[in-house]
Amino acid sequence: MSLLTLVQQAADTVGVPRPATVINNSDRNVQTLLSLAQFEGVALSSRGPWQEQMREATFTTTAGVADYPMATIAPDFSYLVKQTLFDRSNNREISGPLSPHRWQTAQLASGGLTSAFRIREGQLRLTPTPTDSWNMAFEYCSRNWCRSAGGVDQSAWMADSDTGILSEYLMTLGLIWRFLKAKGLAWGDEYRVWQEEVKRELGRSGGAAELDLGPRGAGCVGQSINVPESGFGP
């Protein structure tokens, strides 16, 4: 579904004429629908984390350099996924992000065995300062929620042929209640449907780890107890 078909479907639902174009359309209703579609993309994105927006970034440190610009490492960076920054060269997790107090405390030490980081002023800052070229990796959420027909990710609708990275079903539901509200019409039922669908889809996004509260041991079917499956014999 493209921006055009998204707006057309919403227009059909709310009872306004179906537009042939969206971008640069002079019709006031279409302009309102476009403005609300932009807002819906940002609002729906902020309800995440959505698996569609999860990305992995990698970068290589330089000896003697502690700060690395996020705009270079991950130009579409929105926020970091906690506990995912690892030094793959040395097989270790980088602790953080540190609070301002802990960061300033770390600056009083001349060195240490534990590496940590903080993101400030658009820089990913490491302490202690790297002494070699190390391969770093972390996961983050992208701020992009749609893409061009050519496959370029974007953080705003720019052409009628753009498509959503996030669920366009949810975007359509959101666009409908927002338009009704903007026009002073009844919108409560449509809003409640959107809320429930967002909660349901977010709960399914990317799956979830199994929470096992049962006893662990050889008698538990399907349980991994970290022992070899062979080699027990004499």
Side-chain angles (χ1 to χ4, degrees):
M1 181 181 289
S2 64
L3 168 64
L4 177 59
T5 54
L6 170 71
V7 170
Q8 286 175 336
Q9 185 169 331
D12 291 344
T13 303
V14 299
V16 300
R18 169 182 280 234
T21 62
V22 176
I23 301 295
N24 297 324
N25 193 314
S26 60
D27 183 274
R28 290 295 299 166
N29 282 329
V30 178
Q31 290 176 351
T32 298
L33 284 166
L34 173 59
S35 176
L36 294 174
Q38 302 283 19
F39 188 83
E40 172 62 21
V42 175
L44 186 61
S45 175
S46 70
R47 296 291 292 265
W50 301 99
Q51 61 85 11
E52 293 90 344
Q53 291 180 285
M54 292 297 103
R55 303 286 185 269
E56 181 181 84
T58 59
F59 67 100
T60 302
T61 63
T62 301
V65 177
D67 297 350
Y68 298 85
M70 292 302 300
T72 300
I73 299 172
D76 60 332
F77 180 83
S78 176
Y79 60 85
L80 184 79
V81 178
K82 293 181 179 180
Q83 296 180 312
T84 63
L85 180 56
F86 281 81
D87 175 355
R88 291 180 174 175
S89 295
N90 296 296
N91 298 319
R92 62 184 178 183
E93 182 177 353
I94 309 300
S95 300
L98 298 186
S99 67
H101 176 263
R102 290 189 62 194
W103 177 263
Q104 294 300 327
T105 301
Q107 306 316 300
L108 301 178
S110 58
L113 298 177
T114 302
S115 296
F117 78 97
R118 183 185 182 193
I119 298 176
R120 190 182 71 190
E121 299 178 272
Q123 302 281 329
L124 192 156
R125 305 185 171 206
L126 298 172
T127 186
T129 300
T131 59
D132 205 342
S133 296
W134 298 325
N135 295 321
M136 301 284 185
F138 62 88
E139 291 195 17
Y140 69 98
C141 181
S142 170
R143 64 171 175 267
N144 294 325
W145 45 264
C146 65
R147 62 171 53 102
S148 70
V152 178
D153 289 355
Q154 304 169 170
S155 59
W157 300 113
M158 300 178 67
D160 286 0
S161 57
D162 291 347
T163 57
I165 292 174
L166 301 179
S167 168
E168 289 175 330
Y169 166 64
L170 295 180
M171 287 188 177
T172 303
L173 293 177
L175 183 53
I176 290 170
W177 78 259
R178 293 180 195 281
F179 182 84
L180 293 174
K181 182 180 181 182
K183 295 300 181 178
L185 302 172
W187 54 276
D189 289 344
E190 290 77 7
Y191 173 72
R192 282 188 288 273
V193 170
W194 176 79
Q195 283 274 44
E196 290 302 315
E197 290 297 305
V198 168
K199 290 178 183 177
R200 183 173 68 175
E201 292 302 317
L202 187 57
R204 295 173 174 175
S205 183
E210 180 180 355
L211 180 60
D212 186 359
L213 300 179
R216 302 186 66 84
C220 299
V221 177
Q223 296 292 336
S224 171
I225 54 176
N226 298 321
V227 296
E229 295 181 355
S230 61
F232 291 100

